[in-house]
Amino acid sequence: TGASILVIEDDVTFANVLAGMVQKRGFRAVLAHDAATGLNLARQQPTAVLLDIHLPDQDGWLVLQQLKADALTRHIPVHIVSGVDESARGYQLGAVGYLLKPVSKESINQALDQVQRAASRPPRRVLAVGVDDGLGRSILEQLDSNEATLETAASGAGALDWLGRTGCDCLVLGFKLPDMSAFDFLDAAAQRAPLPPVVVYAERELSQDELMRLRAHTDSIVVQGARSEERLLDEVSLFLHSLSTSAGRAGVVHAQTQAADLAGRTVLVVDDDMRNIFALSKVLRARGLNVLMAQDGPKALAQLEQREGKVDAVLMDVMMPGMDGYETTRRIRGRDEWAGIPIIAVTAKAMPGDREKCLEAGASDYLTKPIDVDKLLSMLRTWIRS
C-alpha cells in the first residue's frame, strides 16, 4: 500500500527494528531520530506515528501535544513507546496506544494490527441530526469522499430509524431537535445499541446538570460561537481518524493491558468533583465501557433506579457533602435488587481504618486517589462477573 508509518525514535538500532516490522506489514517506514524532524515529517500525513518519549531535542510529551494542536496532524493516530508507564497521561493527551519498553514483538504487532484495520476499512459514515444545511455542507466539504460519507436527519425519530437500519461511525447532534430533547434522543439511541462517537453542537452555554447528562454519552461538546464550526469539524475529523475498538465508542487499546473483556459494561461514577468525574469517564469510555455519572448520593440512587439494575459496578467517592459515600453505599446495600452490584470505594487519603470503614458500609473493594488506571481496570475485572 502507499500508507506509511512515521517512527520517531532516537535509538537508531531500535528504530531500524521497528522500521523492519512496519515494512513487513506492507507499510512504508519513515524514520526521524529527533522531535523537530518528526514534527516536519508528520505534516506529510503518515497513516500513524510511533513516538518515543525520550528524544534528544524535545520531550515526547511536547511532541504529542504539538501533533494534537496542529489541524494538519491532530487526526493521525499516535502510539507512544516509553520506558515509563504513564499510559493514563498518554491517553489524556490523545494517544491511541501505549507500548512499554522493553517492547515485545507481540505488542508491536498488536499496534500494527490496529493501524492495518484502520487503513483498510471502508468509508466511515457520519450522521448529522438537527443541524442546519449550511453546517451539513461544511462537514461534507471537509470530509474526503473516499474516507467518509455524510447523511442527515432533520428529526430525532428519523435519526433513530436510520441508526436502527444502518448505523454510523460518528454522530453530529444538534442540541435542539424538533421532536425530542437531545438527552432523550441519546438515551433512546443508547438503549438500542452501543453509541458511536457523538459530537454535540449546542447553541448556548450549557448548565452543569446538562453537561453531566451529555457527558454520560460523549466527551465532545462544541458550543456555538467564535470558531465553533472549525472546532466541530476538527472533532469529527478526530473521531473518523481515531483507531477505535469494536466497542462502538472512540476506544483505546492498551498494548499491555487490553480491556476488551470490559467493553460494553456499565459503570456508575459517583463524585462531587466534576473534574474527577470527567477525567475518569474519559479513561473508562476509551476502554469501551459505558459510564453513568452522579455528583452526589441521591443522584447515584436515582441513576440506579432509572437503570433498573443494569449497572455492572459503582465507583464511589467517599468524601461527599450531604449524603457521603458511606451512607450512599449503605443505601444501595439496603435494596435487595442492588445487593450484588460491586462497589469500589474511592478516597483521597489512605487514613488508618478507611478500608475497614468502607468494607463495613458494604463496599466490595477500596482505592486511593490518584487512581492507578491499570489497578482500577484489574479490580473491575475481578468484581464484574462475566
Side-chain angles (χ1 to χ4, degrees), residues 201-262:
Y201 195 58
E203 79 286 346
R204 60 172 173 79
E205 290 291 341
L206 303 176
S207 71
Q208 289 284 31
D209 278 350
E210 287 172 328
L211 279 172
M212 283 284 288
R213 287 189 68 185
L214 290 175
R215 294 274 189 188
H217 298 294
T218 181
D219 291 313
S220 294
I221 298 166
V222 180
V223 176
Q224 289 182 23
R227 303 187 64 173
S228 60
E229 192 169 304
E230 183 183 326
R231 274 198 56 219
L232 172 69
L233 297 175
D234 278 347
E235 290 290 336
V236 173
S237 179
L238 259 178
F239 279 134
L240 292 179
H241 288 84
S242 68
L243 291 171
S244 57
T245 66
S246 60
R249 298 187 184 280
V252 177
V253 175
H254 191 306
Q256 305 298 324
T257 316
Q258 293 193 37
D261 48 338
L262 293 173

Side-chain angles (χ1 to χ4, degrees), residues 9 13 25 64 72 84 95 99 104 129 161 196 210-211 219 247 250 254 270 287 320 327 339 366:
E9 167 64 65
T13 304
R25 301 295 288 267
L64 179 58
L72 263 180
V84 181
L99 298 160
S104 68
V129 188
D161 180 56
E210 287 172 328
L211 279 172
D219 291 313
H254 191 306
V270 188
R287 284 156 174 79
M320 293 186 293
E327 178 59 25
Y366 170 87

Side-chain angles (χ1 to χ4, degrees), residues 60-136:
W61 296 118
L62 290 174
V63 174
L64 179 58
Q65 285 174 299
Q66 288 173 78
L67 289 171
K68 293 305 170 188
D70 186 336
L72 263 180
T73 59
R74 62 178 303 187
H75 63 274
I76 300 169
V78 178
H79 291 257
I80 290 171
V81 183
S82 173
V84 181
D85 189 357
E86 294 186 80
S87 52
R89 182 182 182 189
Y91 296 137
Q92 196 171 13
L93 291 174
V96 300
Y98 202 98
L99 298 160
L100 190 60
K101 291 181 179 178
V103 185
S104 68
K105 282 190 174 182
E106 184 187 4
S107 61
I108 295 170
N109 279 320
Q110 284 174 350
L112 295 176
D113 283 343
Q114 286 182 273
V115 176
Q116 215 151 27
R117 282 196 297 272
S120 62
R121 67 190 165 212
R124 294 285 184 101
R125 294 184 300 268
V126 179
L127 175 62
V129 188
V131 300
D132 63 53
D133 291 341
L135 185 56

Side-chain angles (χ1 to χ4, degrees), residues 258-328:
Q258 293 193 37
D261 48 338
L262 293 173
R265 300 292 195 163
T266 299
V267 176
L268 170 61
V269 179
V270 188
D271 196 312
D272 64 311
D273 188 327
M274 294 281 285
R275 293 165 303 177
N276 290 342
I277 287 188
F278 290 165
L280 253 183
S281 69
K282 190 168 187 175
V283 166
L284 293 173
R285 280 208 294 268
R287 284 156 174 79
L289 287 100
N290 303 316
V291 182
L292 306 173
M293 306 178 190
Q295 268 187 287
D296 56 36
K299 285 177 181 166
L301 298 173
Q303 283 278 27
L304 290 170
E305 289 275 9
Q306 288 169 21
R307 298 289 158 164
E308 297 176 346
K310 293 175 185 172
V311 173
D312 295 294
V314 177
L315 293 184
M316 180 73 69
D317 184 43
V318 170
M319 304 309 293
M320 293 186 293
M323 187 191 296
D324 65 16
Y326 300 118
E327 178 59 25
T328 309

